[in-house]
C-alpha cells in the first residue's frame, strides 16, 4: 500500500495567516492526489483534486501543488471557517489511502 | 443539487452484520462510482472500496475482503454497504462518497452525512 504522511499533524495559526500543509507519498503518484477538509462531527468536504485543481465552489484562497511524492496545500489568508482538519488522499493505486490528517487550530 | 442521504445509526453485537444505505439524488445514479470510507472515533479516514452502480462491479480494500459487500438498487438510486462478522474495531462512522468522474474510479467529490455503527456486547 502507498503510505501518505502529512506534516505537521497539528498547527496553530491566526486569521489572516498564510499556512502550508505538506503531504508525502511513499512512492510516486504523479498528480493523483486530493485534499479534503473535515470539521468536527461532519463529513469531509472535497477541496482539491489532481493535486492542484480546485473543486467547484471552493474559495480561491485554497491552492494545491506538487507532483510525484511531495505535495502541498496552501491557504493564502486564513478565515475563521478554515479551522478544521485536513486530509490528503492518493488515488494512483488501490487501496486508496489517506494521510493521517493535519488539525488546524486558532492561535 | 447532488445529495447523498445515509441511513441512521446502528448498534450491533460482535459477530453480527450491518447494512448501511446511501440514497443518491440530483444526478444520474448509474454514471458515477460510489466509494465507501470509514472513520473510527478520533481517527483518520479509511477507504473501504467502491461499487459501479452501472455494472455492479466492485473493488474492495484487501483488508476487508470476505467481510464487506457493496450492492446497489438502481431503481431507487441507492447504494448499500454490508459488513459482516463485526468486531469492536469496526465501530466507526461510515460514509458513502460519489466519485468525481463519470464511469471512472478517481476520488470522491460529494459525501453522505455519515452513519455511526457501534459494535458492542
Amino acid at each position: 500500500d502507498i503510505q501518505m504522511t502529512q506534516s505537521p499533524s497539528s498547527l496553530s495559526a491566526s486569521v489572516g495567516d498564510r499556512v502550508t500543509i505538506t503531504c508525502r507519498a511513499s512512492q510516486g503518484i504523479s498528480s493523483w492526489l486530493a485534499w479534503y477538509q473535515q470539521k468536527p462531527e461532519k463529513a469531509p468536504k472535497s477541496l482539491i483534486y489532481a493535486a492542484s485543481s480546485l473543486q467547484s465552489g471552493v474559495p480561491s484562497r485554497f491552492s494545491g501543488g506538487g507532483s510525484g511524492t511531495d505535495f502541498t496545500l496552501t491557504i493564502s489568508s486564513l478565515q475563521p471557517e478554515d479551522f478544521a482538519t485536513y486530509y490528503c488522499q492518493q488515488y494512483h493505486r488501490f487501496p486508496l489511502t489517506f494521510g493521517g490528517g493535519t488539525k488546524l487550530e486558532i492561535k | 443539487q447532488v445529495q447523498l442521504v445515509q441511513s441512521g445509526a446502528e448498534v450491533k453485537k460482535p459477530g453480527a452484520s450491518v447494512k448501511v444505505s446511501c440514497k443518491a439524488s440530483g444526478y444520474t445514479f448509474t454514471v458515477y462510482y460510489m466509494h465507501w470510507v470509514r472513520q473510527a472515533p478520533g481517527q483518520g479516514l479509511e477507504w473501504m472500496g467502491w461499487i459501479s452502480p452501472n455494472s455492479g462491479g466492485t473493488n474492495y480494500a484487501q483488508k476487508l475482503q470476505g467481510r464487506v459487500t457493496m450492492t446497489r438498487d438502481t431503481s431507487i438510486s441507492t447504494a448499500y454497504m454490508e459488513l459482516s462478522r463485526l468486531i469492536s474495531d469496526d465501530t466507526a462512522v461510515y460514509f458513502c462518497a460519489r466519485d468525481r468522474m463519470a464511469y471512472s474510479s478517481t476520488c470522491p467529490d460529494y459525501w453522505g452525512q455519515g452513519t455511526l455503527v457501534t459494535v458492542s456486547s
Side-chain angles (χ1 to χ4, degrees):
Chain A
D1 297 1
I2 297 176
Q3 307 303 315
M4 305 300 293
T5 303
Q6 286 182 235
S7 60
S9 56
S10 65
L11 174 60
S12 293
S14 301
V15 172
D17 283 354
R18 178 185 179 90
V19 300
T20 296
I21 298 168
T22 297
C23 178
R24 175 165 287 175
S26 61
Q27 60 184 264
I29 60 169
S30 185
S31 295
W32 304 114
L33 185 101
W35 289 97
Y36 304 91
Q37 175 194 68
Q38 188 179 32
K39 296 182 179 179
E41 310 303 320
K42 295 292 187 183
K45 174 187 175 183
S46 302
L47 297 176
I48 285 171
Y49 63 95
S52 60
S53 297
L54 219 57
Q55 288 280 2
S56 174
V58 173
S60 59
R61 63 180 180 273
F62 290 91
S63 63
S67 67
T69 59
D70 294 311
F71 301 87
T72 58
L73 172 69
T74 298
I75 310 171
S76 60
S77 178
L78 275 172
Q79 299 303 299
E81 60 269 28
D82 299 337
F83 292 94
T85 299
Y86 293 84
Y87 294 94
C88 61
Q89 180 205 26
Q90 67 81 21
Y91 52 102
H92 176 61
R93 291 203 193 285
F94 295 115
L96 308 189
T97 46
F98 291 88
T102 295
K103 187 173 184 179
L104 180 53
E105 298 175 304
I106 301 174
K107 185 183 286 183
Chain B
Q1 74 282 20
V2 174
Q3 279 196 306
L4 302 174
V5 178
Q6 298 183 223
S7 49
E10 303 261 13
V11 179
K12 296 291 183 180
K13 294 193 183 304
S17 297
V18 68
K19 190 171 186 177
V20 178
S21 67
C22 171
K23 183 169 178 59
S25 61
Y27 71 98
T28 303
F29 177 65
T30 52
V31 171
Y32 297 88
Y33 288 23
M34 191 73 76
H35 299 262
W36 289 87
V37 175
R38 69 179 180 177
Q39 185 171 37
Q43 302 300 308
L45 300 165
E46 179 186 14
W47 180 79
M48 301 177 68
W50 55 244
I51 182 168
S52 163
N54 185 47
S55 67
T58 55
N59 185 352
Y60 301 142
Q62 187 159 10
K63 171 184 177 181
L64 297 170
Q65 286 273 3
R67 289 208 300 139
V68 67
T69 304
M70 295 177 190
T71 57
R72 90 293 190 216
D73 184 338
T74 58
S75 69
I76 55 172
S77 299
T78 300
Y80 302 91
M81 186 285 301
E82 184 170 20
L83 191 60
S84 63
R85 304 194 302 278
L86 291 168
I87 61 176
S88 58
D89 286 353
D90 293 321
T91 294
V93 176
Y94 289 76
F95 297 100
C96 61
R98 193 196 80 163
D99 200 281
R100 65 167 300 278
M101 189 168 285
Y103 302 114
S104 295
S105 170
T106 60
C107 59
D109 56 3
Y110 292 93
W111 294 67
Q113 84 277 18
T115 296
L116 175 62
V117 174
T118 302
V119 182
S120 174
S121 55

